[in-house]
């Protein structure tokens, strides 16, 4: 290598190092703001009394809900999920399970378990003005009059949700994953911001925290009192990741009405707004995020003061992948979904017409969430290049290392602290201590893995790979399924 | 953090053990609550015991029990926590004050009535604190609340439907009747929610019936719809009101769909031969919800099944025929046929 090339590489990598360090510290600053906003909110919530929740249960006072459960190959979990839904504390609601052309026994399990029969007369009407794949039949439970099953041809999760919206009777629609385990008070909690909105305030969607059920005992669709941390280190890291995403990120963003994601695992929406927005977009991966961005767009177009709310309470639990290969698939899909949503609505990016969403929220998701892994990867490459050309800049390398550790591990430790101060869901000292130490280790193994996968997701998204239901081999998390419950 | 967790668990276990002992039938607290036997052993010593006792009394009150038992729980709470709550009402943290107000209302500590009323004098009162204070007044059945709701002293800041209902649901029938008498003084939100609460509470008084019959002819769509819903819940109307209803909804198409739906529901609750003819027309409404409600109302008449069968075969409107078929099908698989 001649001297000129070497100098060029040195200059380029030095500039790169500076950019990366500045980038990471700016991001840290942003997260720090979110962290303090979250602390205030969580502390406030911890002081509140819970015994005033049940007034909402008066059936005539709680807005009726249509709960949509799209299911694809969910034979292991679907019955338990529906059972947990049938036992929730809420006034009036209906459950619509949409079987999206499952290849397993999802439909048959539902029919057998809940004594279902096919309804002959059912008005098929699409308020969404959007075609869905053929609905082959609608079934009604003889045991539970508020439980229906729509059996349709496979069209993806968004299509299944759209079919469910067309069948929904009630003004609020809840989207739910087939493997979601709900807190018994989930609906009371999630409807609280909606019913308590002042006159003139309009809450058109609301989401809540999602927890990871692996490791805890799930019996007949309910999570026991004792939330436990699994032994599997991959799941532990996801638990920490969820803390960070839900407790830190979303609380802060929702405070400023800048939330762009209501988790597909559990969210509630005003049906009229869903209809006006055109329902879920088929052919995308991140349909949950895409819908929220579209709702924000609609809010701005209508010059409405409507708000998308978020509650820090854990409202539901889901099974996380326990093997790297499934986690990899999930993360690649998520990142592709993020890219698609941002790309589809790129007109909002840095556009003052969309207020804080266009000027703060969208750029945050672009530069921090979407491109963050790319910046990190470049950082690793620069370190390697410096090492290869034998020109290790000690100051920059140290700064970079500190920045990486702060960015990954310390943020995660902060999230664990937040969880412990505000929620305290994990009762065992050993669990809390393991969470803390694993959080510290994040930058050294888990984060680099995520970086590589997310970069792959970005590449795949740019190359436009076809989307489909995410497949994850479920072992089942309920003791009733022959699973250990762990 | 780990030390904090360890201490927290230790405290939680102590509280759990204390609560399980307290719930025994022969524990000093239970003996006081069930038999009125006082004991010095009830008074807590450590901070965690105060917390445990507060939680236990809260739980004891919420699980029910006789009137006397509930009064004893409230009396004990006032005796032990009265001075603590008095101090907490001036705590600088809003959350602590809100929590305290919730407990004062729950234990109906009328001894703190003056302190609670004093909060309302503060012009810069936080909206959450205002609501919590109003809820305490509702729990005390304090007549001042009616004047506050009606804006006699000063206009009330906007409250959601849910907040109004929280307040109104806690009031006894006597106070609700007083609000019925002063109905026209209230704002739209109070009027709407008062109607809903009266319906939900299943109040059955002449004053209430007179109010809903009057409001069924109100110029306000919203009030008319709620009055119709309330009348359907009441399940009875005077002959005059029945006739007026028939006359008004002969031209049912001119009303909003929500009103048509409620009018159809009422015609199923208050059954009248003339209504059946009207329902037979309404089953062909262009709104599915109204059609199905009309079909449901028809099915509630003694000859409802035969009437629906006839509509399913002979009605000139395809939608009406399909709706009748759907209702017949529903009725065939409903286990508890009315």
């Amino acid at each position: 290598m001649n001297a000129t090339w070497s100098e060029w590489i040195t200059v380029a990598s030095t500039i790169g190092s500076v950019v990366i360090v500045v980038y990471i510290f700016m991001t840290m600053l942003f997260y720090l703001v979110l962290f303090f906003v979250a602390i205030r909110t969580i502390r406030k919530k911890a002081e509140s009394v819970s015994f005033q929740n049940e007034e909402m249960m008066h059936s005539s006072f709680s807005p009726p809900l249509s709960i949509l459960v799209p299911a694809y190959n969910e034979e292991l979990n679907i019955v338990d999920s529906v059972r947990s839904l049938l036992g929730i504390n809420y006034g009036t609601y209906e459950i619509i399970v949409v079987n999206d052309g499952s290849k397993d026994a999802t439909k048959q399990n539902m029919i057998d378990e809940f004594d279902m029969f096919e309804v002959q007369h059912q008005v098929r009407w699409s308020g969404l003005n959007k075609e869905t794949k053929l609905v082959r039949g609608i079934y009604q439970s003889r045991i539970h009059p508020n439980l229906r099953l729509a059996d349709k041809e496979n069209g993806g999760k968004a299509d299944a949700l759209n079919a469910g919206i067309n069948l929904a009777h009630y003004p609020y629609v809840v989207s739910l994953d087939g493997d979601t385990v709900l807190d018994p008070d989930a609906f009371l909690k999630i409807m609280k911001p909606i019913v308590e909105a002042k006159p003139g305030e309009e809450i058109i969607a609301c989401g809540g925290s999602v927890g990871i059920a692996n490791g805890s005992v799930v019996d007949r669709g309910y999570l026991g009192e004792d939330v436990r941390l699994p032994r599997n280190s991959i799941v532990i890291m996801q638990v920490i990741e969820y803390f960070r995403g839900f407790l830190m990120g979303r609380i802060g963003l929702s405070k400023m009405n800048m939330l762009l994601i209501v988790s597909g695992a559990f969210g509630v929406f005003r049906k009229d707004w869903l209809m006006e927005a055109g329902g879920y977009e088929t052919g995308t991966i991140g349909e949950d995020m895409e819908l929220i961005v579209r709702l924000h767009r609609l809010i701005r177009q209508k010059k409405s003061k409507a708000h998308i709310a978020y509650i820090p309470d854990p409202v539901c639990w889901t099974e996380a992948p326990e093997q790297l290969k499934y986690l990899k698939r999930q993360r690649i899909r998520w990142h592709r979904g993020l890219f698609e949503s941002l790309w589809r609505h790129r007109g909002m990016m840095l556009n003052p017409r969309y207020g804080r969403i266009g000027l703060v929220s969208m750029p945050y998701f672009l530069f921090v969430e979407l491109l963050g892994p790319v910046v990190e990867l470049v950082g690793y490459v620069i370190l390697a290049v410096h090492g290869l050309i034998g020109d290790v800049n000690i100051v920059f390398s140290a700064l970079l290392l500190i920045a990486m550790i702060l960015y990954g591990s310390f943020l995660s430790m902060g999230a664990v602290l937040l969880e412990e101060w505000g929620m305290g869901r994990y009762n065992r000292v050993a669990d809390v201590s393991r969470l803390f130490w694993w959080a510290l280790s994040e930058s050294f193994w888990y984060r680099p893995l995520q970086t590589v996968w997310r970069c792959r997701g970005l590449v795949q998204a740019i190359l436009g790979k076809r989307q489909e239901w995410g497949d994850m081999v479920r072992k089942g998390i309920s003791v009733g399924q022959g699973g250990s419950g762990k | 953090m780990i030390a904090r967790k360890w201490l927290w668990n230790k405290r939680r276990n102590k509280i759990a053990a204390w609560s399980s002992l307290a719930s025994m039938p022969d524990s000093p607290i239970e003996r006081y609550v069930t038999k009125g036997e006082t004991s010095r052993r009830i008074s807590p010593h450590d901070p965690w015991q105060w917390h445990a006792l507060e939680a236990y009394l809260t739980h004891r009150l919420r699980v029910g029990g006789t009137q006397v038992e509930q009064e004893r729980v409230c009396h004990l709470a006032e005796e032990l926590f009265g001075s603590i709550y008095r101090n907490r009402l001036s705590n600088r943290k809003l959350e602590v004050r809100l929590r305290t107000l919730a407990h004062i209302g729950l234990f109906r500590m009328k001894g703190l009535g003056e302190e609670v009323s004093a909060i309302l004098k503060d012009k810069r009162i936080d909206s959450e604190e205002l609501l919590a204070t109003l809820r305490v007044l509702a729990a005390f059945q304090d007549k001042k609340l009616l004047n506050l709701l009606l804006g006699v002293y000063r206009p009330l800041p906007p409250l959601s439907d849910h907040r109004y209902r929280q307040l109104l649901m806690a009031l006894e029938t006597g106070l609700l009747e007083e609000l019925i008498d002063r109905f026209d003084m209230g704002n739209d939100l109070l009027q709407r929610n008062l109607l809903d609460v009266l319906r939900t509470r299943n109040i059955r008084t002449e004053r209430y019936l007179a109010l809903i019959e009057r409001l069924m002819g109100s110029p306000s769509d919203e009030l008319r719809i709620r009055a119709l819903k309330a009348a359907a819940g009441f399940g009875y109307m005077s002959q005059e009101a029945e006739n007026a209803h028939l006359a008004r909804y002969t031209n049912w198409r001119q009303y909003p769909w929500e009103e048509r739906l409620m009018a159809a529901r009422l015609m199923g609750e208050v059954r009248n031969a003339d209504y059946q003819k009207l329902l037979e027309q309404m089953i062909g409404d262009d709104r599915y919800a109204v059609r199905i409600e009309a079909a449901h109302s028809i099915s509630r008449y003694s000859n409802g099944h035969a009437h629906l069968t006839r509509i399913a075969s002979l009605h000139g409107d395809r939608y009406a025929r399909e709706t009748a078929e759907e209702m017949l099908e529903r009725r065939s698989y409903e286990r508890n046929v009315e």
Side-chain angles (χ1 to χ4, degrees), chain A residues 22-35:
Chain A
V22 169
Y23 168 88
I24 287 175
F25 278 104
M26 291 290 287
T27 308
M28 281 288 303
L29 198 67
F30 188 78
Y31 270 120
L32 211 61
V33 172
L34 291 182
F35 180 76

Side-chain angles (χ1 to χ4, degrees), chain A residues 185-314:
Chain A
D185 288 335
F187 290 90
L188 293 178
K189 287 174 182 173
I190 208 159
M191 290 303 285
K192 211 165 180 261
I194 291 168
V195 299
E196 290 184 351
K198 292 189 183 86
E201 258 185 15
E202 208 178 6
I203 308 276
I204 58 167
C206 185
S209 281
V210 180
I212 288 177
N214 308 48
S216 302
V217 175
V218 178
D219 191 6
R220 282 182 290 274
Y222 289 103
L223 199 84
E225 282 291 296
D226 195 16
V227 181
R228 293 191 168 193
L229 197 66
R231 290 259 161 222
N232 183 319
S233 57
I234 296 163
V235 182
I236 294 174
M237 291 316 296
Q238 289 174 80
V239 169
I240 293 162
E241 224 181 348
Y242 274 44
F243 288 169
R244 200 164 75 182
F246 286 106
L247 293 179
M248 207 183 285
R250 295 191 193 184
I251 289 175
L253 290 171
S254 76
K255 276 278 163 204
M256 300 170 254
N257 198 16
M258 297 196 307
L259 187 66
L260 288 192
I261 303 176
V262 165
S263 171
F266 185 49
V268 63
F269 300 89
R270 268 254 307 265
K271 192 173 131 186
D272 53 352
W273 277 79
L274 266 187
M275 294 275 189
E276 200 171 345
Y280 287 86
E281 195 58 56
T282 52
T284 66
I285 298 173
E287 66 282 322
D288 43 6
M289 179 180 179
E290 196 280 332
L291 173 66
I292 298 297
V293 177
R294 203 148 21 95
L295 284 171
H296 274 298
R297 194 176 198 137
L298 192 60
I299 288 169
R300 283 279 158 182
Q301 281 165 356
K302 291 173 76 171
K303 296 187 170 61
S304 161
K305 289 209 163 23
H307 193 92
I308 290 168
Y310 174 79
I311 50 161
D313 298 65

Side-chain angles (χ1 to χ4, degrees), chain A residues 232 234-235 238 320-334 445-446 449-450 453-454 456 460 465 470-474:
Chain A
N232 183 319
I234 296 163
V235 182
Q238 289 174 80
E322 295 193 351
Q323 292 172 37
L324 283 177
K325 68 173 175 181
Y326 295 118
L327 180 64
K328 181 175 91 179
R329 280 184 206 171
Q330 185 193 57
R331 293 317 152 93
I332 288 174
R333 271 193 330 110
W334 284 6
W445 68 282
Y446 187 74
L449 275 178
Q450 294 280 326
W453 294 339
R454 289 162 76 191
R456 265 185 74 174
Q460 280 185 14
K465 193 171 172 246
D471 58 335
M472 179 180 109
V473 171
R474 302 201 185 282

Side-chain angles (χ1 to χ4, degrees), chain A residues 238-460:
Chain A
Q238 289 174 80
V239 169
I240 293 162
E241 224 181 348
Y242 274 44
F243 288 169
R244 200 164 75 182
F246 286 106
L247 293 179
M248 207 183 285
R250 295 191 193 184
I251 289 175
L253 290 171
S254 76
K255 276 278 163 204
M256 300 170 254
N257 198 16
M258 297 196 307
L259 187 66
L260 288 192
I261 303 176
V262 165
S263 171
F266 185 49
V268 63
F269 300 89
R270 268 254 307 265
K271 192 173 131 186
D272 53 352
W273 277 79
L274 266 187
M275 294 275 189
E276 200 171 345
Y280 287 86
E281 195 58 56
T282 52
T284 66
I285 298 173
E287 66 282 322
D288 43 6
M289 179 180 179
E290 196 280 332
L291 173 66
I292 298 297
V293 177
R294 203 148 21 95
L295 284 171
H296 274 298
R297 194 176 198 137
L298 192 60
I299 288 169
R300 283 279 158 182
Q301 281 165 356
K302 291 173 76 171
K303 296 187 170 61
S304 161
K305 289 209 163 23
H307 193 92
I308 290 168
Y310 174 79
I311 50 161
D313 298 65
V315 283
C316 67
W317 306 82
T318 185
E319 185 180 0
E322 295 193 351
Q323 292 172 37
L324 283 177
K325 68 173 175 181
Y326 295 118
L327 180 64
K328 181 175 91 179
R329 280 184 206 171
Q330 185 193 57
R331 293 317 152 93
I332 288 174
R333 271 193 330 110
W334 284 6
H335 217 65
R336 284 172 54 199
L338 177 62
F339 172 84
E340 281 182 14
S341 299
L342 293 174
W343 180 251
R344 196 177 285 260
H345 298 282
R346 59 191 179 278
M348 293 169 73
M349 187 72 66
L350 296 169
N351 186 339
R353 258 199 1 216
Y354 294 99
R356 276 178 294 198
I357 292 291
L359 296 173
V360 182
S361 197
M362 295 280 282
Y364 160 77
F365 277 93
L366 173 68
F367 294 113
V368 178
E369 298 292 339
L370 187 76
L371 298 177
V374 177
V375 175
E376 261 182 80
L377 198 63
V378 170
Y380 297 136
V381 169
I382 286 172
L383 268 178
V385 166
H386 273 296
L388 281 173
I389 62 174
D391 176 30
V392 179
N393 184 326
I394 300 293
V395 177
F396 273 132
S397 299
L399 261 176
L400 208 56
L401 194 69
I402 290 166
M404 289 292 185
I405 290 170
L406 275 176
Y407 186 43
S409 301
F410 278 43
L411 265 179
S412 293
M413 282 177 359
V416 172
L417 276 173
L418 262 184
E419 207 293 329
E420 184 44 38
W421 288 340
M423 307 286 166
R425 280 175 283 186
Y426 290 88
N427 289 325
R428 297 188 313 169
V429 174
D431 284 350
V432 175
S433 122
R434 274 192 302 144
L435 276 170
F436 189 81
W437 294 117
W438 277 110
L440 196 57
S441 78
E442 181 179 333
S443 295
F444 304 100
W445 68 282
Y446 187 74
R447 195 167 181 82
L449 275 178
Q450 294 280 326
T451 301
V452 173
W453 294 339
R454 289 162 76 191
C455 286
R456 265 185 74 174
L458 188 57
V459 171
Q460 280 185 14

